[in-house]
Amino acid sequence: MSIGCLCIHGYTGSPEEVQPLVDFLSKRTNWELVNPTLPGHGEKLDLAGHYFQEWIATAELALLGLLDRHETVYIVGFSMGGMIAAYLAAKHQVERIVLLSAAGKYISLPQMCKDVGGMCVDACNGALASNELFLRYQKKLKQTYFISSLEFMKCVKFTRPYLRLVECPVLIIQGELDGMVPKKAADYLDDEIPSSDKEVVFLKQSKHLICHGDDKDELFNRVLEFLN
């Protein structure tokens, strides 16, 4: 049986967000793993003039290619990519989906305040240049257009109703320290998705970039076990 797996990164992100999981799976399976860059995204952002429909269409074209080449297809979606994954699973015949930090709801204010507080402490101590969170998002904030953030919100609004049409098995994984997508987002997905085969996993040490977090080994093994 041939297997394909589509991995979809998040808003303002790049394939690198999920690449550690892709690398893990490629070493342990003979699946075809596809990890496309959504329009306007990548290491150098160019979001102006791009719309959420393009992001969905790019992921859907990649999925259609996998469905054409393989008997079994899985989808893994991170953040906004998780919402796109659910939309595609509602429309197409896929075997299983994995939703990582899926942005059904977004911005966890309490955790974001903690993260900003940590940056302020590092700034006062002259250590801001070594704050990993600051370095990761500083570049994104400079390159993100306000209109594009509206497109992100439109994408979430558009894909939400399709959660109720997802019937395939679903694995939902959420970091408990996520400052972008609140912990309650996982419960929201669990409530909305009617699939009779669902599993929700909370990772205690993980923030939003879950494939790069301290719990990544547990995450990778959970995903492989679920998809197998």
Side-chain angles (χ1 to χ4, degrees):
M1 177 178 67
S2 64
I3 295 175
C5 181
L6 172 64
C7 298
I8 312 171
H9 67 75
Y11 174 62
T12 72
S14 73
E16 179 58 29
E17 290 181 327
V18 290
Q19 191 61 44
L21 174 59
V22 172
D23 292 340
F24 177 88
L25 294 175
S26 68
K27 291 176 182 176
R28 291 160 178 80
T29 71
N30 60 355
W31 305 346
E32 180 186 357
L33 291 143
V34 175
N35 186 15
T37 303
L38 303 182
H41 290 73
E43 290 306 311
K44 184 178 173 69
L45 295 178
D46 184 21
L47 291 167
H50 291 287
Y51 302 93
F52 80 88
Q53 293 92 336
E54 297 175 72
W55 306 337
I56 293 175
T58 298
E60 189 161 20
L61 284 172
L63 174 63
L64 290 173
L66 287 173
L67 288 169
D68 187 54
R69 295 189 294 273
H70 300 285
E71 303 165 71
T72 298
V73 174
Y74 307 132
I75 310 178
V76 177
F78 166 73
S79 195
M80 182 183 75
M83 297 303 293
I84 295 174
Y87 166 79
L88 295 177
K91 284 189 64 181
H92 300 281
Q93 188 66 40
V94 299
E95 195 72 19
R96 290 171 176 260
I97 64 171
V98 177
L99 307 180
L100 304 175
S101 309
K105 294 183 179 292
Y106 41 87
I107 306 300
S108 172
L109 290 177
Q111 184 59 44
M112 182 169 284
C113 288
K114 289 181 183 178
D115 291 341
V116 171
M119 290 183 200
C120 291
V121 170
D122 283 345
C124 292
N125 293 332
L128 189 59
S130 62
N131 184 291
E132 182 182 356
L133 193 67
F134 172 77
L135 294 174
R136 196 177 292 273
Y137 284 105
Q138 180 187 38
K139 182 178 172 183
K140 286 187 177 183
L141 289 172
K142 288 181 179 178
Q143 297 178 354
T144 300
Y145 296 87
F146 174 72
I147 297 299
S148 297
S149 296
L150 294 181
E151 289 301 310
F152 159 71
M153 290 185 277
K154 288 179 185 178
C155 185
V156 174
K157 183 178 179 181
F158 174 79
T159 52
R160 269 179 184 157
Y162 289 88
L163 293 171
R164 296 191 290 271
L165 303 177
V166 175
E167 297 181 347
C168 67
V170 181
L171 174 62
I172 300 165
I173 304 185
Q174 176 69 36
E176 292 194 7
L177 303 180
D178 194 331
M180 298 302 296
V181 175
K183 184 178 176 181
K184 64 182 179 182
D187 296 324
Y188 169 76
L189 296 171
D190 190 21
D191 290 339
E192 288 292 301
I193 295 173
S195 171
S196 59
D197 186 350
K198 284 181 295 187
E199 184 180 357
V200 180
V201 175
F202 291 101
L203 299 179
K204 294 185 181 300
Q205 302 302 318
S206 291
K207 295 188 177 183
H208 188 56
L209 290 166
I210 201 165
C211 291
H212 295 263
D214 292 342
D215 303 307
K216 61 181 180 292
D217 291 337
E218 179 184 353
L219 165 68
F220 298 163
N221 284 302
R222 289 260 192 171
V223 170
L224 180 59
E225 181 182 1
F226 172 76
L227 293 180
N228 271 334

